[in-house]
Amino acid sequence: MSSTKPLSADSAIADWLADPAGNAVLTEMLAQGGQTPDVFKPVRRLAIKRLVKMSRGAFTQEMLDDLVRRVVAGDVPDGTPVAAASVDEESIGDAVTLREWTERLDAGRFTGQTVIVTGAGSGIGRATASRIAREGGRVIAVDVSQERLDEFVADHSGADVVALTADITDDAGVARIVEAAGDTIDGLANIAGIMDDMTPIGEVTDAVWQRVFRVNVDGTMKLMRAVIPTMLAQGGGSIVNTASEAALRGSAAGVAYTASKHAVAGITKSSAFIYGPNGIRVNAVAPGPTITNIEASFGSPLAAGRIQTAMAVMPDPVEADAIAASITFLLSDDGVNVNGVILASDGGWSAA
Ligand SMILES: NC(=O)c1ccc[n+]([C@@H]2O[C@H](COP(=O)([O-])OP(=O)(O)OC[C@H]3O[C@@H](n4cnc5c(N)ncnc54)[C@H](O)[C@@H]3O)[C@@H](O)[C@H]2O)c1
């Protein structure tokens, strides 16, 4: 990938690496932290300025400004640039810069609607809660982390946000969420979830199995059960659950997470079938790799080897706002005729 335009904060990381001056200043900066340009491989198609937000303080706006200043001024260290071939672009061609997606708000899409969003303190839940709030909705933002919710609220002053610290696995917590929403609940985005330790059935512990099922399955079920009476009484509503690539295949996670996300798909389809005639739509999104705070560990060498082989065709991770775009579509009235779908939002991974 190459570009004839001068490098700027808007240039893709791949363009920075393909440019000798850009490559040299980036390589020097990374070397100071003991890293090489290979760390950029998953995000190489993004504009370099996106790293400021994504790196959470490791790469600051000042560092970016300094890099841009240096390439413009020709203030570049001597040395051989790292081969841009380390950024593997062969399979997508090298003649064009790929178009970059940026979120475009649909003003007023959720005006007058109350939507419960779980996991709103981080990652996909945060991006979804943010988008709904910025599109006019009243958001009941739920998370177990008070600190994350405080930060979310601080970032959305002026928006209609009710922050609620609650655990979705706890019946009293679920009751408080529904009470906070009030008489009308137009939407529920069940996004809170946790990963497993990538262990297969021969090695999974009861503790991991139960913890993953409690959050991903019991939590999802409990909140759906709690909003159904209100949605039935008001004549409709929209629920979006969060499945995963692991709901579609056996090679994306350990057995506990994979089984839990297959269960989410089952809850979604069963509920869509039963409540569709009542005006309630129930869908799920199946995200591919997404840059969030979710934690996964490899607790099994056997599974690690096999899963990593299967991940060879995994697409680059995306930012959470790309998944929020799919979730808000399903939640919104534009999803009017979509019910019972497990929508892969994975850049085509599930088509591989
Ligand atoms: N990140 C990915 O690559 C990916 C891929 C496929 C599916 N998913 C799914 O997306 C969903 C969101 O994950 P993420 O990657 O944004 O993770 P994340 O860890 O960044 O955010 C999840 C949030 O949920 C909260 N949470 C966890 N347990 C909770 C509970 N019991 N009650 C209330 N809140 C709770 C956490 O505090 C956290 O803020 C999950 O269901 C996950 O399985 C993620």
Side-chain angles (χ1 to χ4, degrees), residues 122 124 143-144 148 166-168 191 242 257 261 287 290 292-293:
S122 173
I124 298 168
D143 205 287
V144 274
R148 287 178 171 179
D167 186 331
I168 58 163
I191 302 177
T242 309
Y257 186 81
K261 292 301 186 179
T290 313
T292 69
N293 291 311

Side-chain angles (χ1 to χ4, degrees), residues 7-349:
L7 290 178
S8 72
D10 292 315
S11 306
I13 292 165
D15 287 341
W16 276 77
L17 291 174
D19 179 275
N23 188 305
V25 290
L26 266 187
T27 302
E28 184 186 62
M29 181 193 78
L30 287 164
Q32 285 162 6
Q35 290 179 315
T36 70
D38 278 345
V39 295
F40 286 141
K41 199 170 174 202
V43 291
R44 64 193 180 276
R45 288 185 228 157
L46 300 182
I48 195 167
K49 67 181 180 190
R50 303 275 285 274
L51 293 177
V52 173
K53 195 170 127 210
M54 284 166 59
S55 70
R56 295 190 189 86
F59 180 65
T60 62
Q61 184 64 45
E62 291 70 40
M63 290 162 83
L64 173 58
D65 293 344
D66 192 50
L67 287 180
V68 174
R69 182 195 60 72
R70 288 180 63 191
V71 285
V72 170
D75 175 12
V76 173
D78 292 335
T80 318
V82 172
S86 67
V87 177
D88 171 18
E89 291 293 296
E90 294 96 43
S91 62
I92 55 171
D94 60 2
V96 291
T97 299
L98 294 184
R99 293 177 184 180
E100 197 192 332
W101 177 80
T102 45
E103 183 180 69
R104 195 166 49 121
L105 293 185
D106 190 348
R109 187 163 55 148
F110 289 99
T111 298
Q113 296 194 24
T114 293
V115 183
I116 298 169
V117 182
T118 71
S122 173
I124 298 168
R126 190 187 202 281
T128 302
S130 173
R131 179 130 189 201
I132 295 167
R134 286 177 292 130
E135 292 185 348
R138 173 174 176 257
V139 176
I140 313 300
V142 177
D143 205 287
V144 274
S145 167
Q146 168 88 51
E147 195 188 341
R148 287 178 171 179
L149 284 179
D150 288 347
E151 201 199 329
F152 177 78
V153 169
D155 281 354
H156 293 81
S157 58
D160 195 354
V161 175
V162 178
L164 199 79
T165 311
D167 186 331
I168 58 163
T169 69
D170 167 39
D171 289 319
V174 169
R176 281 195 296 119
I177 296 166
V178 173
E179 195 188 328
D183 294 339
T184 306
I185 303 173
D186 301 285
L188 164 64
N190 252 327
I191 302 177
I194 55 171
M195 257 302 247
D196 64 8
D197 59 353
M198 301 278 193
T199 43
I201 191 70
E203 300 170 43
V204 68
T205 62
D206 283 353
V208 166
W209 181 271
Q210 283 159 9
R211 202 167 73 86
V212 168
F213 265 71
R214 209 166 51 241
V215 179
N216 295 0
V217 183
D218 298 6
T220 296
M221 177 281 287
K222 281 176 187 286
L223 216 40
M224 287 176 72
R225 186 173 63 188
V227 303
I228 287 289
T230 303
M231 289 187 172
L232 283 175
Q234 72 200 13
S238 178
I239 298 174
V240 179
N241 294 325
T242 309
S244 163
E245 196 72 15
L248 309 173
R249 57 170 80 224
S251 56
V255 68
Y257 186 81
T258 302
S260 77
K261 292 301 186 179
H262 275 70
V264 169
I267 296 167
T268 302
K269 289 183 189 175
S270 166
S271 311
F273 173 73
I274 296 293
Y275 295 109
N278 300 88
I280 302 174
R281 295 186 298 106
V282 186
N283 294 289
V285 72
T290 313
I291 301 161
T292 69
N293 291 311
I294 204 161
E295 286 173 22
S297 56
F298 274 97
S300 162
L302 170 72
R306 295 192 59 76
I307 290 171
Q308 278 160 5
T309 306
M311 284 182 174
V313 290
M314 190 173 80
D316 294 340
V318 297
E319 287 184 84
D321 53 8
I323 307 298
S326 302
I327 294 175
T328 51
F329 159 68
L330 290 172
L331 269 177
S332 78
D333 291 343
D334 281 345
V336 57
N337 203 33
V338 185
N339 191 26
V341 153
I342 314 300
L343 177 70
S345 180
D346 65 356
W349 188 16

